[in-house]
Every structure is written in structure tokens, then in C-alpha cells.
Amino acid sequence: GGGVGAGAFSPRFRPDGDRRAATQLINELGMQFRWEEALEVLQRHPGGADRYMYCAAIGAMGKSRQWEEALLLHEDMIGNGIYPTSVSFNRTMQACAKGGQWDKAVELLEEMVEEGVSADVFSYNIALSALEKGGQWERALDLLHAMPSSGVMPDAISYGSVMIALNKAGQPGKAWELLAEMKAGGVEPNSVVYNHLISACGRGGMWMKVYDAMAEMKRAGTYPDMHTYSCAIQAMGASGEWERAMDLLYEMQTKELVPNTYCYNHAIEACSNAQQFGVAQQILDEMWTKRVRPDIRSYNGVLKACGAAGNFEKAFELLEEMQSVDIRPDFESYKAVIGACAKARHWIKAVDVFRQMQDFGVRADIGTFNALIRVCTEAGEWLQVKKAIDEMDIQGVVPDLETYNLYILGCSMVGRHKKALWWMKEIVDNRMTPDLTTYNLCMAACAPAGEWKKVIGLFLKMQTDEIAPDATTYSHFLRACEHFAQWEKILRVMDEIRDTAVTPTADTFRIAINAAKRLDQWGSALELLNEMIAAGHAPDLVCFNVCFAACAKGGRVEETAEIRQMMAVSQVAPDRFSYNASVIACEKGGEWRDAVELLDEMRVKGIEPDVVSYNGALSACEREGAWETAVELLEEMEEKQVQPNVMTYKACCQTLVNGGQREKAEKLFQKMQDGGIEPNERLIQIFNVDAAGKSEGSVSMDEAEEEDEGDVDEDVDDFDDEDETEEAREDAYLEELERVGKEVQQVKEEKERIAKMWADERAMAGGSDSSDSEEEDTREALTAGMKPDHKPVQAA
């Protein structure tokens, strides 16, 4: 038979043909895990091995987890004409189960049934145990349900194995169904079944069912023991119910059950996961008080809570305490302490702990390296980052996605966007998939460098990779859209965000409000402002003023008043621009009294109106012919030493004319000229009388209003929360595109005109050759970018 034969021949073996002695020797060698010697005894027996020797040898292979050798011996039996028995099958199945070969174990069970070898409940339990260890809960359930049809009834062990499988898979619903089946089948559940049912409830987040299971246990006459409470405490911790875990810890003590280390450790871990450092520390102290010795897991649980809280000082104390009680810290201990240092941004302590870790010969895992790299990166300690990377290489620790993301974070911090994108390529080259953090960090690196096209490219690549953007992603992308003046795109993206669970950042709302203002959509601007406040962001003065500007262009008087109320609630004081925009809204809305009242309110708020403020109010008076108020405002300007400009005089003169005070208007016009202010075209029109003897201004109010709106819009557009240089560059770019487009259209029209002209001349001349030749010459000239008179045309 096949097998691995090696090792010294046992001195107790005498090749005298005594198979019983040989079988006993093989069993003894198996108990001592000396499988090679046991195999040698089997293979060298002079009389040949019998069924009992094979069974003993297969059992020896199983104890040493040599499942391949067990299978070979099983095949040898058949090859040597020894028919396998249920015992040999069961032992071979056990060897496969211990070796993690659940599929082989099930195949052997099926072979037993096919060969007519009696498969009893023990056989099925071995297969069920193998499936449980392999995480095959569905197949375990199927096999359990198939047992009665094979004439084998499941017992408590059968149900226990499947319950363990359901617990590991986090299937509390199936676990409760199995309990009901067990009772219906007349099998009394034992504590093992109940304990794993409780654990399954914890894994599945059904912590309330833990109490139901414990109550069911009592009704069945099986009272909770130490292990039951341990499972229940662990279940509460897994569900995030740390307070209930503590209740169970104290409840078991009222039942005269002293918690063991496992119970305390589960309670500590429950508190640690909930970041309840103080309670976790109290449990550790109680363990010493109750004379229950903590182990490495106890301390690591408290250290983890320290790490989450950033309490690196306490973490150091616990590390020293561990060493004083002869508990040697492992890499989880050191990782927690380094994590605490990282949380507290104390890179020096983190480096010290890492060095101590190396001195004690404790190898760091990738999580420890990442924590160290993070704290050093955030502190800008690039030399320490390089040392950590070099040490990773020495220890053979392979970087993971978080490591690469930290590299990209470092590049972003020092303004190296090209290197950040190179690291992203390394992620892909190393067969990893960039995640949301990767994309956000790369965008953050490209944005300050003005690489807006790359930001847009990264956003589109995310959509290709089906990675859902978050608030940070949208903020970067909308900033890029803002740079390229893609106002409509910005509002469309905001609509997309509304359909997601993402809450936009304050910067995202600011960009969107500005886009709405650019598109003269005052309603959208106000809606976005309200959404911004509802999202918990506090709009600043810039956001409010952009909304004022949008409403001013639309003449929305009531809306500007609403914005001022919102500012009062948000405790943001309006500035001069806020009021000027409100005044302009009143002017466009025909509310001259409101405009004048706003000037008074400005003074109450300690804001002196400027020439824009007065001009807006005067323009409002102009529409209604409120000449007395206009004169008062002009006198007030002189009193406040606010220098009028040509728009001021134009508004006053037009108001006087509209109010039938032409003589006063002419005097004011003369005063303006005496003051050295040149009249504009509109003023000249007001005082030029046509042949009918009527003032042009008095009969063309629509023209006056259109011109006034243009002048006022200029005042509103003076406000811009963006970088002026950037804006000018974009506007110039758009103007250039428009200019080039017009020239292209002019050339096209010129071609059509010349073609028509030559066609007409050719028709008149009867289609002469000379005309055709001249037409061809003209076409060639146009094609070369020249007009027929040979003046250059700038190429579009």
C-alpha cells in the first residue's frame, strides 16, 4: 500500500506475525502522534496487515491530521481485498474532518451507503461535524433532514453540530427553526444547543432573542451555566449592547456563578467595541479584585478601547502593567498603543513604541505599520515615514490598500499630485481596486495644483468603477465644474445628490448657490440656501450675499427680506452689499418706499449707505416720479459727503422730469456739469428736445428702464466670491470662443454672398468661361483665408 514510510523502527515491534500485538502497538503510536512509525509497523508486518491493523493505522493518521495518508490506507484495504467496515469508514471520515476536508468526508459517507456498509448516527455525526467546520451550514441542514429517510434518526449531537454551523454563519432565524425541529423530533436540547443558539442571536444582531433563548432554556429544565452567560455576554457585545452585557455579567454573580476569564473578556470586548474605555478599565480592575487573573486578551481589549479614545498615556501604563505581571505584549497590544498615539497625533510616542516592539522581537503586521505611517504622515515627519516603509520591506510585510492611500495622503499634503496619481496606478498594478478614499485623496492632491481636468477625469473613472461618490467627492467635482463655468452641470449634479443619501458639504452648497445666481435662478438659490441650513451647515456672509445678488436681479423684494430674517436667525450680520442688493431688488420691483426704508435701516445697523445704495433708491423713485424724496436723498448725499456720480444725476433728473419738475431737472443738470461730471447719453437725451417739442426721455420710459436695469446689474455683478483672475480668464476664454464663432459665421455668409453674386453674373453673361475662372479664383482665395480684396481673415 502507498504511504509515507520513514523513521526508526520501533524496538517494541517483533515481526512474529502477532497481528493483535501489532494492532495494539499501532494504537499506542497513534496516541503519541507518531504516525510515521505506526505506518511503518503496518507496512512491514511479515504476515500482512488485517482489517484491525488498518483501522488502527487510519485512526493514527487521523490523530495526526494526516488525512491524505488515511485515504491512501482506505484505498489499500480495498486493493488488498480487505473489505472496509463502518469502523474504518468512520475513522477515515474523522481524519478528513480534522484535516478540513469536508467534501472528502461527505464522499466517504455516500460511498458507505452505496457499498451497503451500515452508516449509523455516529457516521452521520462525523460528516455533520466536517460540514460545520467547513462552514457548510446549508449542506449540513440538508444532510440532517436526509437522515430519517436513510433510517437513521438524528440525536442531540447531530443537532448540536448543525446549530454550531448556523451560529458561525450568523443565521439566528434558521437556528430557532432547528430548535423547533429538534423538539418536534423528540430530542431534548442540551446546553450546547442553547448556548450556540444564543451566540447565533448575537451574531445576527437579534439581541432580544438572547433573553428568549435563556427563558426557553429554563422552561426546558436546563439552567444557564457559566458558558451560557459567557455566550450571552458575547452576543450582547456583538450587537453593540454593552450595557446589557454588563447587566448579564452582574446577573450571573447573583446566581452564585463567579465569572471566569472568558466572561470578563467578553464584557471588556463589548465595552471596547462601544469605545467605553472607562468601563473596560473597571472590569479589568474587578478581575484582579475577584482574583480572576486577566490574560493577554483582557489587556488587549482595554488597550483597544484606549486606542479608540486616543488615551495614549493610559495605554502606556497598561503596557508596563502587563510586563510587571508577566504577560508579554503581542503585536495586537503594540498595535493598540500605536493606534492610541496616532489618535492623539503623538508621533514621537508612536515611534518609541514601535522601537520597543522591535527590541522585543515582536513582528508588526500591516495594521501596525499603517497606524505608524498615518501618525507620522499627519505630522509631516517624512523621514520616519520612509523608515517605516523600509522596515516593512525588510520584514516582508506587503502594503495593502490603506498603506497606498496613506502614501497618496502624504503626496497630497506636500502638493505632489503627479506622484499621488502614480501611487494610484501602483494600486491597480498590484491587482488592488482603488476605493473611495483613494479617489478623494487623488482629487484633493490635484485640486490645489489647478489640475481640474484630472479631477473631472477621476470622477468619471469612479462612475466607471461603480464607486458611489460621497460628500467630499462631489465637493471636488463641483469645484472643477465651477472653474470651467459649468453652471447648469452644477445644478444637475445637485439634483443627483438629492436622490442619494449623501449630505453635501457647506462648500458644495456654496458652489451650487453661486451657479444658481449665475443662471439668474433666484428660486434655486433660495432653495439651496434653505437646504444648506436644514443639512446643519451655517451659511456665511458670502452665501447670503450671493442669494441677495440673485434676488436683486429678479427684483424679488419679499425674498430679500426673507434672507435678512434668515441672517438674523443664523446670527450673521448683513454688510453694505447685502443692503445694496436689497435696495436694487426694491428698485426693480417698483417698491421705492421700501428702498428708502432700507437706507434708514442701514444707518441703524451702523452701515453708512454709499453711492450704490443711494443710486438704487433714486432709481426706485425715478420709476414712480417721487421727485421730493429723490431731492431729499440727493441733499442727504451731499450732507453725508457721498460723492454723486453720473448715474445719481441721471436718476434724479429723470425723476424730476417724470414728476413734472423739468425746470428743477435742468438746474440739477447744470449743477452736475459745473461740478465737472460729464453727462452720459441718457442725460443728453433727457434734455434734447425733438421737433415736436417733447423730451425724448418723457416719451421713451421703456428705454430708460432697460438702461437703468443694465446700470444696476453692473452694481450687483460687482460682487463675486470667486477668484477674480480666474473669472477673468474664463470670461476671456468664452469671449474668444464667441468672437471666433462670429468670424466663422461671417466667412460663411461672405462665401454664400460671393457664390450668389458670381452665379447671377454668370447667368447674365450666359455662362462665360472667364466668369467661371474668376469664381474659382475667389473660392481659392477664400479657402486660403483671404477675402476677394486680398485682406487677411483671421482663421477660425
Side-chain angles (χ1 to χ4, degrees):
V4 179
F9 199 67
S10 174
R12 293 184 58 191
F13 174 70
R14 297 291 183 267
D16 55 5
D18 187 349
R19 291 191 179 92
R20 181 177 296 179
T23 301
Q24 184 180 354
L25 179 57
I26 292 171
N27 283 327
E28 291 178 3
L29 292 170
M31 295 294 292
Q32 299 171 23
F33 303 102
R34 295 162 63 182
W35 65 272
E36 292 174 320
E37 294 178 51
L39 188 59
E40 188 177 5
V41 171
L42 177 76
Q43 293 173 340
R44 293 194 180 184
H45 195 279
D50 62 3
R51 179 181 294 112
Y52 301 104
M53 291 176 65
Y54 271 110
C55 288
I58 292 172
M61 300 304 112
K63 286 183 174 61
S64 296
R65 300 183 183 276
Q66 298 296 321
W67 64 271
E68 291 172 312
E69 295 294 339
L71 277 177
L72 287 173
L73 289 174
H74 175 74
E75 294 170 3
D76 280 349
M77 286 182 70
I78 299 172
N80 291 329
I82 302 173
Y83 201 71
T85 64
S86 59
V87 175
S88 62
F89 266 112
N90 289 345
R91 291 192 177 184
T92 309
M93 288 168 60
Q94 283 180 320
C96 293
K98 288 183 178 180
Q101 303 299 312
W102 61 267
D103 51 342
K104 302 292 185 186
V106 174
E107 287 175 9
L108 285 165
L109 180 64
E110 293 171 352
E111 184 182 335
M112 282 181 75
V113 176
E114 291 174 4
E115 296 295 332
V117 179
S118 177
D120 56 10
V121 68
F122 184 66
S123 309
Y124 278 95
N125 286 349
I126 295 171
L128 288 171
S129 178
L131 290 168
E132 171 262 307
K133 289 180 172 59
Q136 302 295 313
W137 66 271
E138 292 172 307
R139 295 196 62 165
L141 266 177
D142 292 340
L143 182 59
L144 182 74
H145 294 153
M147 287 176 69
S149 61
S150 300
V152 180
M153 299 305 297
D155 60 5
I157 296 174
S158 313
Y159 284 105
S161 295
V162 180
M163 186 65 79
I164 294 171
L166 294 174
N167 171 25
K168 289 181 178 179
Q171 296 288 331
K174 296 288 184 183
W176 278 97
E177 291 176 9
L178 184 66
L179 181 69
E181 289 178 22
M182 190 174 183
K183 289 181 176 180
V187 180
E188 193 67 29
N190 55 24
S191 60
V192 173
V193 171
Y194 281 113
N195 291 344
H196 284 285
L197 173 63
I198 290 169
S199 294
C201 293
R203 290 177 187 271
M206 298 172 62
W207 60 268
M208 286 296 293
K209 285 288 187 180
V210 171
Y211 295 116
D212 293 342
M214 295 180 75
E216 182 72 23
M217 210 174 166
K218 293 173 183 176
R219 282 194 294 270
T222 305
Y223 288 91
D225 58 9
M226 182 80 69
H227 187 61
T228 306
Y229 275 102
S230 179
C231 291
I233 294 169
Q234 185 181 29
M236 292 301 178
S239 299
E241 298 291 330
W242 68 272
E243 291 171 310
R244 297 182 186 278
M246 293 299 298
D247 290 342
L248 287 168
L249 182 67
Y250 295 127
E251 179 187 312
M252 66 182 298
Q253 297 180 56
T254 64
K255 306 291 186 184
E256 298 183 355
L257 291 172
V258 179
N260 60 12
T261 305
Y262 292 105
C263 296
Y264 279 116
N265 285 350
H266 290 321
I268 288 173
E269 288 165 1
C271 297
S272 177
N273 292 334
Q275 298 185 7
Q276 296 293 323
F277 160 68
V279 183
Q281 178 65 56
Q282 289 175 10
I283 298 171
L284 183 66
D285 294 340
E286 183 181 315
M287 290 179 74
W288 286 110
T289 303
K290 295 292 180 69
R291 296 184 179 181
V292 179
R293 181 176 172 80
D295 58 9
I296 184 70
R297 187 174 171 183
S298 315
Y299 277 98
N300 283 351
V302 182
L303 283 171
K304 183 181 175 183
C306 285
N311 193 340
F312 71 94
E313 294 176 342
K314 187 62 181 179
F316 269 89
E317 290 179 14
L318 287 169
L319 200 63
E320 292 175 357
E321 183 180 316
M322 289 174 71
Q323 295 169 349
S324 67
V325 295
D326 295 328
I327 298 177
R328 184 173 181 178
D330 60 4
F331 79 93
E332 289 289 349
S333 315
Y334 286 110
K335 181 165 68 174
V337 178
I338 292 174
C341 296
K343 189 85 173 179
R345 298 181 181 276
H346 208 307
W347 70 271
I348 296 176
K349 290 288 187 182
V351 172
D352 288 344
V353 174
F354 185 75
R355 288 172 180 165
Q356 180 182 337
M357 189 175 180
Q358 290 178 301
D359 292 341
F360 281 102
V362 179
R363 288 178 59 84
D365 66 345
I366 187 61
T368 310
F369 276 109
N370 286 344
L372 179 64
I373 292 171
R374 178 176 293 279
V375 67
C376 293
T377 297
E378 291 174 349
E381 292 295 328
W382 310 117
L383 179 60
Q384 297 299 331
V385 172
K386 184 180 183 303
K387 287 181 177 179
I389 295 172
D390 291 342
E391 187 61 31
M392 280 179 66
D393 188 50
I394 292 170
Q395 295 190 19
V397 178
V398 180
D400 62 2
L401 183 59
E402 183 183 355
T403 317
Y404 283 111
N405 284 345
L406 289 171
Y407 296 164
I408 296 172
L409 172 63
C411 295
S412 174
M413 290 174 62
V414 297
R416 298 185 63 185
H417 72 279
K418 291 182 179 179
K419 190 66 175 178
L421 294 173
W422 182 86
W423 279 118
M424 186 175 183
K425 182 178 178 297
E426 281 291 296
I427 292 173
V428 177
D429 291 345
N430 284 282
R431 298 185 178 182
M432 287 182 274
T433 303
D435 62 359
L436 178 63
T437 303
T438 312
Y439 280 102
N440 283 348
L441 288 172
C442 285
M443 288 182 181
C446 292
E451 294 290 343
W452 300 111
K453 289 183 179 179
K454 287 186 172 61
V455 172
I456 293 173
L458 287 165
F459 183 82
L460 297 176
K461 184 68 169 61
M462 282 183 69
Q463 294 180 321
T464 303
D465 293 345
E466 298 183 349
I467 298 175
D470 66 355
T472 304
T473 318
Y474 281 117
S475 180
H476 289 312
F477 178 65
L478 291 184
R479 284 181 63 199
C481 292
E482 184 180 40
H483 176 82
F484 290 112
Q486 298 294 311
W487 312 120
E488 293 180 352
K489 176 67 175 177
I490 290 171
L491 295 185
R492 286 200 301 271
V493 172
M494 284 301 295
D495 288 337
E496 293 175 10
I497 296 174
R498 290 187 183 102
D499 294 335
T500 68
V502 175
T503 301
T505 63
D507 190 51
T508 300
F509 278 113
R510 179 195 64 77
I511 294 168
I513 291 170
N514 185 40
K517 173 244 179 184
R518 297 289 185 140
L519 295 171
D520 295 333
Q521 295 184 15
W522 61 267
S524 296
L526 285 181
E527 182 182 358
L528 287 163
L529 184 65
N530 283 309
E531 287 181 21
M532 184 177 185
I533 295 171
H537 300 302
D540 59 7
L541 181 60
V542 172
C543 286
F544 283 116
N545 280 349
V546 173
C547 290
F548 274 124
C551 292
K553 284 188 176 182
R556 310 304 303 183
V557 180
E558 293 181 0
E559 283 73 14
T560 54
E562 180 184 339
I563 296 172
R564 291 195 300 277
Q565 290 177 357
M566 293 168 68
M567 292 181 77
V569 173
S570 301
Q571 297 183 342
V572 177
D575 64 356
R576 183 177 285 110
F577 179 86
S578 312
Y579 281 106
N580 286 350
S582 299
V583 170
I584 292 169
C586 293
E587 180 270 326
K588 289 197 172 186
E591 301 291 342
W592 67 271
R593 291 182 178 83
D594 290 343
V596 175
E597 288 177 3
L598 282 169
L599 297 184
D600 295 335
E601 185 178 323
M602 287 177 72
R603 298 187 194 95
V604 172
K605 298 288 186 181
I607 302 172
E608 287 298 326
D610 62 1
V611 66
V612 176
S613 317
Y614 283 108
N615 286 351
L618 288 168
S619 295
C621 293
E622 174 188 338
R623 292 172 181 264
E624 301 298 325
W627 65 271
E628 294 98 336
T629 303
V631 171
E632 291 176 3
L633 289 173
L634 185 62
E635 291 174 352
E636 185 180 300
M637 287 181 71
E638 293 175 353
E639 180 184 343
K640 299 291 185 180
Q641 296 184 348
V642 178
Q643 184 63 40
N645 59 19
V646 67
M647 283 185 62
T648 312
Y649 285 107
K650 189 272 296 182
C652 272
C653 290
Q654 184 68 66
T655 305
L656 289 167
V657 170
N658 294 346
Q661 303 294 319
R662 185 173 182 80
E663 184 178 347
K664 291 184 184 327
E666 290 175 348
K667 289 181 181 180
L668 185 61
F669 180 70
Q670 185 61 46
K671 180 180 178 181
M672 180 196 76
Q673 290 180 308
D674 294 343
I677 298 176
E678 291 293 328
N680 60 11
E681 183 179 351
R682 180 60 197 150
L683 271 170
I684 295 172
Q685 288 176 354
I686 291 173
F687 296 103
N688 280 344
V689 181
D690 60 13
K694 294 181 180 180
S695 168
E696 294 178 10
S698 63
V699 297
S700 183
M701 285 302 296
D702 289 340
E703 293 180 8
E705 288 180 4
E706 289 177 3
E707 184 175 339
D708 289 347
E709 287 180 1
D711 293 339
V712 173
D713 284 346
E714 289 178 7
D715 293 334
V716 175
D717 286 338
D718 284 342
F719 176 77
D720 192 357
D721 58 300
E722 289 299 299
D723 180 53
E724 294 295 338
T725 305
E726 218 172 72
E727 169 103 18
R729 180 173 60 79
E730 291 300 325
D731 289 345
Y733 173 69
L734 295 174
E735 289 173 6
E736 179 67 11
L737 287 179
E738 185 178 0
R739 182 187 63 76
V740 170
K742 288 180 180 178
E743 288 195 357
V744 170
Q745 183 64 27
Q746 289 173 359
V747 171
K748 181 180 179 182
E749 291 173 356
E750 185 70 10
K751 284 183 178 182
E752 292 174 353
R753 187 187 66 79
I754 293 173
K756 185 176 183 300
M757 180 186 69
W758 281 111
D760 293 343
E761 290 184 5
R762 185 169 62 252
M764 292 174 62
S768 64
D769 295 338
S770 60
S771 296
D772 291 342
S773 176
E774 289 177 2
E775 179 187 0
E776 189 64 32
D777 290 344
T778 303
R779 287 177 178 174
E780 289 179 7
L782 286 171
T783 305
M786 302 288 290
K787 290 184 179 179
D789 58 0
H790 301 295
K791 292 182 180 179
V793 177
Q794 182 176 355

